[in-house]
Every structure is written in structure tokens, then in C-alpha cells.
Amino acid sequence: MENNLALQMRAIRKTFPGVVALNNVDFDLRRGEVHILLGENGAGKSTLMKILSGAYQKDSGKILLNNREIEIKNPRHSCELGIGIIYQELNLVPHLSAAENIFLGREPAAFGLIDKKRMNQSAQRLLAGLGMDFDPQRLVRELSIAEQQMVEIAKAISLDARILIMDEPTSALTEREIKELFARIRLLKSDGVSIIYISHRMEELFEIGDRVTVLRDGNWVGTHNIAEVTKPELIRMMVNRELTQQFPKIKAPRGREVLRVEGLSRNDALTRISFSLYEGEILGISGLLGSGRTELARAIFGLDKIDAGSIQVKGRLQKITSPRQAINLGFGFLTEDRKTQGLVLPLSVQENICLPSVERFSRFGVVSNSEETEAAGRFLKDLRIKATGLGQRVIYLSGGNQQKVVLSKWLCSNGNILIFDEPTRGIDVGSKAEIYQLMNQLTAAGTAILMISSDLPEILGMSDRILVMHQGRINGEFSAADATQEQILHCALGEAA
Amino acid sequence: MTLKAYVALHGRQFGTLFGLIVLCAVMWILTPHFLTVSNLLNVAEQTAIIAIIAAGMTFVIITAGIDLSVGSVLAFSGVVLASLLQKGVPLVPALAIGIGVGFFTGVLNGLLITIGRLPPFIATLGMMSVARGAALLYTGGRPISGFSDSFRYLATGKPLGIPMPVLAMLAIFFMAYFLLTKTKLGRYTYAIGGNEEATILSGVNVRLYKTLIYGICGGLAGLAATILTARLNSAQPIAGMNYELDAIAATVIGGTSLMGGEGHVFGTLIGALIIGVLRNGLTLLNISSFAQQIIIGLVIIVAVLLDMALKKSRR
Amino acid sequence: MKKSLFIMSAAALLLFSVACQRNQATSDGRPTIALVVKTLNNPFFNDMQKGAEEAAKSLNVHLLVQAAEREVDVEKQMQIIENLIESKVSALCITPSGSKEIIPAIVKANKAGIPVVILDTRVNPEALAAANGKIAAFIGSDNLEGGRLAGELMVRTLGGKGKVAILEGIPGHETGDSRLKGFRQAVAGSPGIQIVSSQTANWERDQGYTVFQNMLQAHPDIQGLFACSDLMALGAVEAIRAAGKTGKITVIGFDAFSEAREAVRKGEMTATVAQFPADMGKIGVESAARLLKGERIQEEVTVKIQLITRDNLNSNKP
């Protein structure tokens, strides 16, 4: 009966000091299936996968591989057992070639020298098997994220992986690349490879998944065939409460114009960009990766020099040359990458929230701790940031709470023109909804929001108006109420609106 | 904050302090000469020069930088100060100029790093050679000796029975502590080291503060030069060789991470005292200078291993 | 946490075991004399240590030997002396790393009532007097005389005519300065001798090589070299070998290390000025021991100095 099962995990339990991370969780994997693992951050998905990859040891429970009980001792052992893992942050050596990365540590050798020719040929065969045709001698740092991912997958396959764990594989990919990735996954499936797929993006699950297992707070909630569940059901299983609407947009009255950009250009990146932004409005900016969306945000925020064009803030012409100046004008910039640009990870919640406003809390260079605590404490409460206190280091917070800290930072500096760059990337469903609620509250209070996002449902669900960028230009403008995903995608691909 | 939470947050410092206490206890058992008031003051006095340099180094290392030039800057500041004193320049302006030379050399380091975009290692490596050469050229390679008693009081004076270098060291560390924990400058120091890009995006003038921090480091090397010159009654152009390494060692033993964003100045003081107590105790025990080097090296390695183990256990 | 405790205890154990190997502390009533040399990675001071140890053995006194890692580290030497004062040694024998920089340490010893005997390198007398410091005795070679002997030999060997280079020690070091002065005095009488270059190589062998190599580039016709120490001379000998001029340049060194004697035997060096550091160490400890017994000692002892050439090489073992 169980011949079809590649892997069974039975009653897995894992505790950390003071926390039960996994409470008797069951999980099984059929040959050649894509099994989605779903759950909010902290639900226990990563812990379960770390046990499977040998990074953690389980406290109790059984693991059966091909119906034989095994103990996974360490990551190397897991690898030998045919379990491959593709992390969200790819683990490649950037200045080595694709082939060198694939065979790192086990290069084919002849007379003690690396047989480059054989290595490159093998790599090419592996990549071809995945439908990729780029030269394996290219350096990894020159490859796109999608291509790098393929190198990782090729590496796992060359190690005879029969089980592949993919952690948020699409988070940095464009729509087209996602489509291609899914094609490769189907190819792998037909070869009998089983895939454990972790993602927050609901749409994808239905497209690629066969079965889905939901975890919540370290407990197994349920396993279903994808065809037999609906999105709202899954969300309810994950958060144990009905999110009535995935995008709880509340339209705020449109106020006066707060930002007017005219003819903004910057070398090749931006060409004659013009638009206006109003109080209480969310202006969505869509477009493919590299279409100039982030460059536009950076130029407005004073990070990059502009070659031509003008920026008017609240009716007055401004030359913004530094972030300080932008902040003083009321701008705030929630960057695309929280960890490398938004937060100072080793510092506390309070220190991060107050960073742009230290000036205001200081007299003669001395920072008033009480004023800071008061201000930061207010945001901790208002935004319901889950932390042990203001003194907790932000590195220990979950993605959603980290994003709330970044938002607090700009609210604390009295930001009222906020630029959100991919505001919900890598954030679980519950926190996503909270971020959207906060955006509603902000617009209701008259804040203007410029929202850059690759997530089409998000752009359509939360914006009032949508600008679509293509190759550094604005290629079209839509009213969110009557635009469709297809229209926007076409526009983003360069077709006239 | 509860005591437990405080210990969890600052556990590393307690670890270092514990290490110092254990070390002192070992020395106390091994030699009767160690635990006397005069010897402890003696250790503190010997530690003062490296500790003052290490205080500046702590600022720099918290920003994820490094300053290899402090030893040479010390020599250059020292000979400039000495020559001014010998030319009859009054004490206060001479001191101001001497320390100022250190400060401006540091600022120059800062500008090379911020405006010139050089890695701190390279910029200060270059400055290490430049400042040393400047000191040698300025003096023709000869030491400058013989100063007034009022100047020498800076090293030989003992108000309330405490040697001046020790008082200077304590004053500097309290000031550094205040700067790092209570002021804008301190907050930005940690922020720059923790994530420079996020700090720039938060509207902080990172170039200005980084330059200032290297200036502070250079200025403290200048202050150390003042004490060293008064102590030896001579300023040598070859003074302070390898002091940068001792200062880095003290900072690292004290728990400041070379990756930046983390560190405490009192940890550095304890780190400097650990090195000082080791040198003192090992001499009292008549252990050869060769074996001393092995032991000090091992202590640095063990301290960092411990640091990593502690951090891991807190995860 | 268990692991860190393990590391900590391992470190403590290591420290303890090293500490246990230390020379027996003075608990037997014998007086302790400390010898502080400039550094122990220089054969000159190793010889001095040997002489001192012999004397200590025959006189039944306890001897401690300490040194900084680097010869020029005046601050470290001062710290060592301070620590020795704290450990209450009976007498100090010191070879100062700096003629003036040592004075604050001497004053501290004076205040603690510990007599100080200076070896090898003279303390600057004016500065000592100004600081009200007192030394019991100075025992050393006459470096001025040594320099003069070298200079006279240079004039003789070159026949009173030729281009000569000098490798100096660190400026401000009394020994090097005196040797230099003696040499210059001796050659000043011969107008045919022309000093074309005189630079410091900081007492170091590798710098002796590079500095002299550069000198040879600038003046390929150099006929003679006086180096203020054998280490620098031996560095220069290598540079001469690299230039293919071995035996064509008259090289005179100072200190008469065994390696330098070997070079003289092979003809790579013409001569070296012998000092007798073992004698210095021996006389130093003897003087200190006599002081402690309350006897009067000679305040200045000049240890013999001698020119070593191929002719007298074998008759003058150190």
C-alpha cells in the first residue's frame, strides 16, 4: 500500500528552550508529487525542513525513507540520502562558473587535475535536462536569479536527489521566469522526483501543487489534495480566522496634490517620467524586474542624481539631493529588501524606529531615552508589533514584524508621502493583511502612498490608480477599479496600453 | 528590564569580566606580589596607553572599520608635541596641537574612506606608513627628550594616590561610554556598523559621522602619545610600533565584533586590562617574553572562541 | 555553555602549567638580581645572559632575566622594570633600550631603594642628573674606541684612498652613535677616504641588505663598508654576494658574533670589532652582588674591546 511513498515523517517533535517548535507533526511525500507546505512564519515549516536536511535533530518521532526507517545525522548525510534543498538565499559561489558550482567539492579529475572539459560537458547535459541552454562556463554572478536557481537544482540532481525541498523559490522571479520554473518542476516530477514546495503565494499553489499540508503553531492542521480545497479554506486553516477579503481595500477621499513629478530622467534608467500623487491615494507602480521602478523611488528619495526633470512637493519646487532632505519633506522609503536596506539588524526595535528621527529626540547631541521610548512604544502598540519589548533586536523578529518596524520608522519621522517597494514580499498571509489594514489607516489619515509591487493581485487589490513601467518609461496608466491582470501584464511587457 | 534580561543582553561583558577575575585569582594564587595596591595601580598605569587607543579603536571597529595607523599616528603626534614643548610653546597650546595632529590624521583617514571610497584597511595601512615616515623625517630619526616637570606631571602625577594615566584612562572610558550610549554620534556609530546602507537611507550623514569617528580615534592616539611622552620623558619617532595590534586585540577580547554593529567600550577596557594583567603577572612569575607571546595569543583566540560559543548558546 | 567552560578551564590549566615551569621564586633567602636586556633574540644579549648566569651560580645568587620582544621597545622595557620593582628584586642590571627613555624607570627603582647597574649602553648623564636619578655603576665597552679601531683598519686596508659607506644604528642609541663617531674621527685624518653614503639600517639584518643594495646602485664603486653592528654587516654581505662583488669590498662589522667570525674566516668580511658581552653580564652580576653585601664597587668598568681579523681569529674565542 505504502509503496508509493518516498518519505514519511511520523509524530515529529522538536522543542527549543521554552518553545515547542513541532508538536507531533505528520508529513508524507509521494513519488513524483509536488507537496506544498503552508503555514505562517513561525508555524514550524522551516524547523521541519531543517530536520529533514539534517541541520536539526528531532526530539522524537520517526522518519521513513522508501519505507525504511532512518536517522538523519547531519546535512551531509541528508545529501547522501538523496535529499536536496534549494534555499531562498541561494548558496552559490558567485565568482565561480555554473559548472564549477555544480561540481564543487567533487570535480571530475584526471591525473589530479580538474578535467574541465568533462565537467563542462556534464554540466551542460544536466542543464539541458532542465531545458536550459546557457553556457555552463559563465560565472554565476553574471546569471539571472532564475538561472542561478537552475544551477542549484542541477547541482541537487547531479547528487542524485530524489527529494527536492524548495523554499520560496519564486520570491525573486518575474512572472515569465516563474512560468519557466514551473515547467522545469513538471519535468522533474515526470522523472519521479518528489518536491516539497514552500511558498506564501496562494496563486502558485493551485497552479503547481498536488497536495498541501498546513501547519499552525507547530501543529499539523491538515493535508488535502489541492483540487479539493479553496483559497479561503486554506487561509482559514493557516490563521484560524476568516480573512473576509484578501485585500481589504478601503478607498479614502482624494485630497490635494502632494507630489508632482515632471519629465524626470536619469541616464538609461529613467526617461521622462511624469505623474502626480494625492493625499489619501495609493498609486501602484507595476512593471517587470528592471523596468526602472526602484530606480524611480531612489531618484525621488534623493539617493540617485537626476539628469533632468522637476519634483514638486506640496506645490513647491524642490531639488532633493539627499535622503535627509527627502525625509524632512515628509518622504519615507520602505525598501524592497528589509534586511539589507531597511533595518539595522543588530540594533533594537526602538533604535531602528527612531533612527531617522534621532535629531528630533536630541538636545546638544544627547539623545533623550524617555522621548524615544515614548514614541517607539506608541508605534509598538498601534502597529501591534510582536516583540518581547522595545529593547529586542530586530534580527529576532519575524518578517511581518520587521516590516512593521520599518513602517514605524517612517511614521515616527512624520512621513506622509510613503514609498513602499514590495511591501509584502516574504511575509505570511496574516501579517500581509495587517500591513494592508495599516495602509488603509494611513490613507484615511491623508497619507499618500506610492506602492511598487510585482504581485499583480496586490497591485490591483490595494491601489487607486496604477502606473505601469517598461524600460524606464511609464507605458500606461489604469484605474485599479477597471483594470485586469492581463491588461497590466501586456502593458508591462511593452505593448501599448 | 529585569536582571535576567539584562544579563542576556549584555552577557558577553560579564563573560569578559569573569575572565579577568579568574585571571586575577590565578595570579593571586601564583605570586604574592600580584594583589597589592601598588602593583594593581602599576598594572592600570601600564594598561592606560593601550586602553586609550583601544577606546578609539572600539568606535572604529563598531562601524565595521579598522584603523591600523594608530601606532604611527601616536609617534607623529608625540614628536610634534615634543618639538613644540622644546621650542618653549606653552603647555596647553602644545597639547592641543599635539592631540590635534592625531585628530586631523584621523580625519584624513576618514576622508580617504568616505570620499575616496577606500577600504578602511587600505586607507589606514597607507596612513600607518605615511605617519611613521612623517615622524622619522620630522625628527631625523632621533628621539626628542627632556621636558618640564609640569608636562611630566601628566604621567608622573598622582592626585589622591592615583596615577594620572589611570585617571585619564577612566575619564576617557566614561566619556566614550557616554558618547556611545547616550548621544546621536553613538547611535549612528552602531547603526553604520550594523547596516550602513539602511543608515544612509534613514537620512544620516554617514560620511560626516564616519570621518568624525576616525578623527576621534586619531585624537585618542594623540592623547596616548602625550602620556607616553611624559612617561618616558622622551618622544621617539619609532614609538608605538604594533600598538594598533594590541588595541585591536583589547577591543576583540572585549567582545566587539569585527563585523561591526556590536560592542561595548567597557568590554574593551576589560580586554586591555586582561592583556595588562597577563603581561604584568607573567613578568612577576619570570616567564620569558617568548612564552608570554604564546600565552597572549592563546588568550585572544580563546576569548573569541568563547564569544562565538556564547552567541550560539543565546540563539 | 558547557563547551565554553571547558575552554575556559583548559586555558586556566595551560596558564597554570606554564606558570609552574617558571624559575623557582626566591623563597630561600638568597638575594634576587634581575637582568633586563634589550631583547633575547640577539646573540649579543644571549652571551650576556650566559655570563650573568655563570656569575650568579658561582656567587649563589638568584638571577631573573627579562626582555621585551623588540629591541627598541622602550615602553615595554619600562613596564618590565616596573613589574620587577613590584616583585621586590634586590638589584637590577639593565641594558637600556633608550639612553634617555630609561631614566624614569631608574628613578622608580631609586625610590624603591633598588640599586641599578647599567650594562652596555650608557645612560645620558645630563638627563640622569636632571631627573635626580642615580646609578650604581656602568659596565660596558668603549664603543668610541671600537669605532676608531675599525676606522684605522679601514684606512690601512684601502691604502688611505677610496669610497666608503656606513650603515648606522638607530639614531639616538648611544652605542651606535659612539661607534659612528669613533669611525668618523679615525678616517677624518685621511683626505683620500670619501664617505659617500651614511644611512641607518635600524640594527636589522634585512634592512642592512636592502639599504646597502641601494647604496651599491647609487655608488657601484664603493670600496669599503663600516656597519655599526654585525647583523647589518651580514645583511650587506648578502647584498654584496648578490651583486657578485664578494671579496671586493672591505666590510667591517661590530660585535663579533660567531656568524660574523665565520664570514671573516671565509673572507666575506674583513674584520669585526669584538665586544665581550659575557664579561659584561658577569661583571654586572658580580658588581650587584657585592653592592648587596655592602661592599664598595668601581663606578665605571670598561670591558675590553678587540679587532678580530683573519689573523687573530682562532686565538680569540669569545
Side-chain angles (χ1 to χ4, degrees):
Chain A
M1 258 315 278
E2 297 203 334
N3 277 352
N4 195 26
L5 291 179
L7 172 79
Q8 300 165 67
M9 298 176 90
R10 294 270 168 267
I12 303 292
R13 188 179 166 82
K14 174 75 187 174
T15 56
F16 293 107
V19 215
V20 180
L22 291 174
N23 187 16
N24 300 336
V25 168
D26 290 337
F27 182 82
D28 59 39
L29 186 63
R30 292 175 189 151
R31 284 206 185 87
E33 81 163 338
V34 174
H35 194 148
I36 311 282
L37 192 55
L38 203 56
E40 288 193 282
N41 283 348
K45 293 172 309 203
S46 335
T47 311
L48 190 66
M49 290 305 108
K50 280 184 176 162
I51 287 173
L52 196 54
S53 68
Y56 290 161
Q57 300 298 311
K58 58 185 163 43
D59 295 345
S60 64
K62 273 202 279 191
I63 300 176
L64 280 74
L65 192 69
N66 299 321
N67 297 321
R68 280 215 346 256
E69 185 169 349
I70 50 155
E71 284 295 328
I72 300 171
K73 296 180 199 111
N74 52 45
R76 198 188 175 88
H77 186 210
S78 160
C79 199
E80 285 162 9
L81 291 168
I83 300 169
I85 180 158
I86 316 288
Y87 288 103
Q88 200 171 351
E89 285 99 19
L90 298 172
N91 277 322
L92 296 171
V93 186
H95 51 269
L96 292 185
S97 75
E100 283 163 337
N101 266 288
I102 292 173
F103 293 105
L104 193 64
R106 48 199 177 88
E107 293 82 359
F111 311 113
L113 296 173
I114 295 176
D115 187 345
K116 279 214 162 174
K117 204 168 149 201
R118 193 144 65 90
M119 185 169 80
N120 287 330
Q121 280 169 352
S122 309
Q124 189 137 34
R125 253 198 317 278
L126 278 165
L127 289 168
L130 289 165
M132 304 300 288
D133 59 356
F134 63 84
D135 182 357
Q137 296 184 58
R138 276 174 65 195
L139 298 187
V140 158
R141 63 158 183 258
E142 295 166 356
L143 302 177
S144 73
I145 301 277
E147 287 167 332
Q148 292 185 17
Q149 221 165 34
M150 287 305 146
V151 173
E152 281 262 34
I153 294 173
K155 183 174 175 178
I157 290 170
S158 74
L159 283 161
D160 289 323
R162 302 304 293 163
I163 296 175
L164 265 187
I165 303 167
M166 304 180 90
D167 187 3
E168 295 269 1
T170 58
S171 61
L173 302 188
T174 62
E175 294 286 337
R176 207 173 63 89
E177 289 170 331
I178 292 172
K179 290 267 175 292
E180 283 181 9
L181 173 71
F182 286 177
R184 315 281 176 256
I185 290 179
R186 290 190 187 103
L187 225 61
L188 288 168
K189 265 174 70 171
S190 64
D191 284 345
V193 175
S194 310
I195 291 159
I196 303 173
Y197 189 101
I198 302 173
S199 177
H200 287 302
R201 294 196 185 178
M202 284 288 171
E203 287 72 19
E204 290 173 17
L205 313 188
F206 290 94
E207 193 178 340
I208 194 70
D210 296 309
R211 287 194 300 158
V212 57
T213 291
V214 179
L215 299 182
R216 187 176 65 230
D217 301 330
N219 291 296
W220 176 86
V221 181
T223 301
H224 297 280
N225 287 328
I226 283 282
E228 293 161 10
V229 285
T230 63
K231 209 195 288 184
E233 277 171 354
L234 284 177
I235 291 173
R236 193 170 55 244
M237 285 166 79
M238 282 167 69
V239 300
N240 197 23
R241 60 178 180 270
E242 199 93 37
L243 290 176
T244 42
Q245 266 178 297
Q246 207 186 337
F247 300 104
K249 169 76 178 167
I250 300 167
K251 212 170 160 56
R254 185 183 193 177
R256 65 195 172 103
E257 181 188 80
V258 288
L259 175 67
R260 178 197 285 251
V261 173
E262 279 178 346
L264 189 78
S265 299
R266 171 180 159 75
N267 50 47
D268 291 342
L270 300 169
T271 313
R272 289 192 298 281
I273 305 272
S274 301
F275 66 89
S276 293
L277 177 67
Y278 300 87
E279 279 178 349
E281 182 187 44
I282 299 181
L283 178 60
I285 299 196
S286 185
L288 302 178
L289 221 66
S291 61
R293 302 170 308 178
T294 301
E295 288 75 4
L296 174 61
R298 289 180 60 90
I300 295 174
F301 200 63
L303 282 162
D304 295 335
K305 234 176 74 185
I306 56 176
D307 299 333
S310 68
I311 297 173
Q312 282 180 49
V313 182
K314 287 153 198 160
R316 294 177 64 169
L317 208 59
Q318 302 286 355
K319 248 189 140 52
I320 304 174
T321 54
S322 73
R324 179 79 263 156
Q325 206 183 341
I327 292 165
N328 291 343
L329 288 169
F331 282 98
F333 184 12
L334 281 84
T335 48
E336 166 175 30
D337 191 331
R338 285 186 300 279
K339 287 180 183 166
T340 64
Q341 298 177 309
L343 294 168
V344 183
L345 291 173
L347 293 194
S348 70
V349 172
Q350 174 174 325
E351 286 165 330
N352 269 286
I353 291 179
C354 297
L355 191 56
S357 323
V358 172
E359 203 79 42
R360 202 173 79 228
F361 298 126
S362 313
R363 257 161 292 295
F364 307 111
V366 180
V367 183
S368 161
N369 186 44
S370 60
E371 284 177 46
E372 273 199 356
T373 309
E374 196 197 323
R378 202 172 66 236
F379 293 111
L380 191 76
K381 202 166 111 257
D382 290 356
L383 273 66
R384 290 193 286 141
I385 298 171
K386 283 193 206 105
T388 58
L390 288 172
Q392 187 174 28
R393 295 177 170 204
V394 294
I395 194 168
Y396 299 121
L397 300 185
S398 71
N401 285 304
Q402 285 183 341
Q403 190 68 308
K404 288 187 200 167
V405 171
V406 181
L407 181 55
S408 304
K409 184 167 122 168
W410 299 120
L411 297 179
C412 186
S413 70
N414 295 325
N416 46 38
I417 309 171
L418 300 183
I419 306 168
F420 286 60
D421 195 353
E422 303 285 2
T424 60
R425 172 178 288 176
I427 288 178
D428 58 70
V429 176
S431 302
K432 260 188 190 176
E434 279 189 87
I435 300 268
Y436 296 142
Q437 297 282 11
L438 286 168
M439 289 169 82
N440 281 334
Q441 286 172 24
L442 287 170
T443 49
T447 298
I449 295 176
L450 199 65
M451 184 179 75
I452 300 168
S453 176
S454 300
D455 189 339
L456 286 178
E458 176 174 278
I459 282 270
L460 285 163
M462 288 307 296
S463 312
D464 294 293
R465 282 184 301 142
I466 300 164
L467 300 176
V468 182
M469 290 187 70
H470 174 70
Q471 292 183 350
R473 296 165 192 272
I474 291 180
N475 198 33
E477 181 180 334
F478 298 86
S479 158
D482 43 49
T484 65
Q485 292 199 32
E486 286 73 25
Q487 283 177 325
I488 291 179
L489 201 56
H490 282 299
C491 188
L493 287 168
E495 296 166 29
Chain B
M1 199 183 285
T2 64
L3 182 67
K4 205 175 158 191
Y6 186 82
V7 172
L9 203 61
H10 300 282
R12 183 56 181 76
Q13 274 177 300
F14 284 98
T16 320
L17 187 58
F18 180 66
L20 178 62
I21 292 168
V22 168
L23 186 63
C24 288
V26 171
M27 291 301 176
W28 175 59
I29 293 166
L30 293 181
T31 163
H33 303 299
F34 179 73
L35 207 66
T36 63
V37 174
S38 72
N39 188 52
L40 292 181
L41 284 177
N42 178 29
V43 173
E45 187 179 341
Q46 291 176 359
T47 306
I49 288 161
I50 290 297
I52 288 170
I53 298 171
M57 190 66 82
T58 307
F59 278 81
V60 168
I61 291 181
I62 290 175
T63 68
I66 194 94
D67 188 346
L68 299 176
S69 70
V70 284
S72 302
V73 170
L74 174 143
F76 186 42
S77 293
V79 295
V80 169
L81 167 73
S83 72
L84 292 175
L85 288 171
Q86 291 223 319
K87 282 178 194 142
V89 176
L91 192 56
V92 173
L95 286 179
I97 294 171
I99 295 170
V101 165
F103 178 77
F104 281 112
T105 325
V107 165
L108 215 55
N109 275 332
L111 292 176
L112 287 171
I113 292 160
T114 54
I115 309 285
R117 292 174 187 276
L118 282 176
F121 190 96
I122 304 298
T124 60
L125 184 69
M127 187 56 75
M128 173 168 135
S129 189
V130 170
R132 177 70 62 195
L136 286 163
L137 197 65
Y138 188 80
T139 56
R142 284 168 196 285
I144 302 171
S145 316
F147 306 104
S148 68
D149 285 345
S150 56
F151 172 68
R152 295 216 53 215
Y153 185 81
L154 293 174
T156 58
K158 285 188 182 170
L160 307 168
I162 302 169
M164 281 294 281
V166 179
L167 289 176
M169 171 173 79
L170 292 176
I172 289 298
F173 274 85
F174 276 107
M175 261 162 64
Y177 176 76
F178 178 78
L179 279 177
L180 272 178
T181 57
K182 307 288 180 204
T183 67
K184 226 163 48 177
L185 172 78
R187 180 68 54 81
Y188 293 161
T189 307
Y190 283 104
I192 290 168
N195 188 341
E196 186 164 337
E197 200 175 348
T199 311
I200 294 171
L201 280 160
S202 295
V204 177
N205 189 340
V206 167
R207 283 182 174 180
L208 172 73
Y209 281 96
K210 253 185 153 174
T211 306
L212 198 58
I213 285 162
Y214 280 90
I216 289 173
C217 188
L220 287 175
L223 180 68
T226 307
I227 295 171
L228 185 66
T229 306
R231 183 167 150 85
L232 297 172
N233 197 18
S234 167
Q236 289 198 311
I238 51 166
M241 273 188 189
N242 295 347
Y243 279 23
E244 60 280 351
L245 299 182
D246 276 353
I248 293 168
T251 309
V252 169
I253 292 174
T256 298
S257 158
L258 286 175
M259 307 299 289
E262 289 182 73
H264 299 277
V265 78
F266 280 114
T268 300
L269 177 60
I270 295 167
L273 284 171
I274 285 179
I275 297 179
V277 165
L278 268 177
R279 287 233 167 91
N280 169 268
L282 296 175
T283 311
L284 293 186
L285 292 169
N286 194 33
I287 288 166
S288 85
S289 61
F290 302 158
Q292 288 190 21
Q293 295 192 49
I294 296 178
I295 295 171
I296 290 169
L298 288 177
V299 165
I300 296 172
I301 292 166
V302 168
V304 178
L305 279 176
L306 268 175
D307 189 25
M308 280 158 46
L310 273 173
K311 274 190 186 141
K312 218 172 174 184
S313 73
R314 264 193 291 155
R315 284 277 149 78
Chain C
M1 201 52 213
K2 262 182 200 161
K3 202 185 209 167
S4 58
L5 275 178
F6 169 75
I7 296 171
M8 183 87 93
S9 39
L13 201 70
L14 179 96
L15 196 69
F16 189 77
S17 57
V18 173
C20 286
Q21 285 177 356
R22 73 192 196 273
N23 305 353
Q24 269 304 304
T26 168
S27 49
D28 52 9
R30 289 185 302 164
T32 302
I33 295 172
L35 171 64
V36 183
V37 295
K38 292 184 194 181
T39 178
L40 283 170
N41 38 26
N42 180 332
F44 184 84
F45 295 109
N46 296 138
D47 286 349
M48 187 182 286
Q49 181 181 8
K50 256 181 239 156
E53 278 165 356
E54 276 167 26
K57 210 169 163 189
S58 66
L59 292 168
N60 194 28
V61 295
H62 185 62
L63 181 74
L64 302 178
V65 182
Q66 286 280 335
E69 290 111 49
R70 290 168 53 249
E71 190 161 343
V72 293
D73 199 338
V74 288
E75 162 69 8
K76 195 67 62 58
Q77 190 179 47
M78 173 145 174
Q79 291 186 7
I80 289 170
I81 294 168
E82 284 173 344
N83 293 342
L84 289 168
I85 293 170
E86 283 300 328
S87 73
K88 305 201 167 34
V89 294
S90 323
L92 279 163
C93 296
I94 303 170
T95 59
S97 289
S99 311
K100 290 178 181 167
E101 291 78 5
I102 195 66
I103 292 170
I106 295 176
V107 173
K108 284 191 178 183
N110 290 159
K111 281 190 184 141
I114 298 172
V116 178
V117 175
I118 299 292
L119 307 181
D120 174 49
T121 303
R122 208 178 276 278
V123 175
N124 184 292
E126 296 85 23
L128 185 66
N132 272 326
K134 225 170 90 343
I135 60 170
F138 171 72
I139 294 144
S141 326
D142 189 341
N143 282 299
L144 191 77
E145 177 62 22
R148 199 177 289 137
L149 287 175
E152 283 162 3
L153 179 68
M154 183 68 81
V155 171
R156 270 204 310 280
T157 317
L158 297 184
K161 192 161 137 287
K163 290 187 174 173
V164 173
I166 302 175
L167 290 177
E168 304 172 16
I170 291 174
H173 280 203
E174 184 270 334
T175 43
D177 290 351
S178 298
R179 291 169 194 177
L180 188 65
K181 202 166 148 196
F183 182 83
R184 282 178 178 275
Q185 281 175 4
V187 297
S190 313
I193 299 282
Q194 188 192 352
I195 296 174
V196 291
S197 185
S198 181
Q199 285 180 32
T200 177
N202 293 315
W203 295 130
E204 286 177 22
R205 188 171 189 149
D206 56 339
Q207 291 196 34
Y209 185 108
T210 47
V211 172
F212 191 63
Q213 195 171 39
N214 294 340
M215 286 177 168
L216 273 180
Q217 286 296 324
H219 310 280
D221 50 351
I222 286 177
Q223 289 160 283
L225 167 70
F226 173 59
C228 288
S229 78
D230 277 344
L231 272 183
M232 296 190 291
L234 288 166
V237 162
E238 291 306 316
I240 292 168
R241 195 197 311 282
K245 293 189 175 177
T246 301
K248 291 181 189 148
I249 296 175
T250 303
V251 179
I252 303 177
F254 211 109
D255 291 339
F257 292 167
S258 51
E259 219 185 320
R261 286 165 185 270
E262 185 60 22
V264 170
R265 197 183 58 73
K266 285 192 203 153
E268 291 165 349
M269 279 173 65
T270 309
T272 175
V273 182
Q275 294 196 77
F276 295 85
D279 285 1
M280 283 184 216
K282 181 163 160 279
I283 299 169
V285 170
E286 283 168 2
S287 305
R290 282 171 57 199
L291 264 179
L292 293 174
K293 284 188 203 151
E295 295 171 23
R296 281 181 60 89
I297 58 167
Q298 207 179 330
E299 281 181 15
E300 179 138 353
V301 181
T302 307
V303 179
K304 70 174 167 179
I305 204 155
Q306 196 174 15
L307 208 52
I308 304 284
T309 60
R310 233 169 156 169
D311 306 330
N312 63 359
L313 196 54
N314 296 323
S315 56
N316 272 291
K317 288 276 181 219

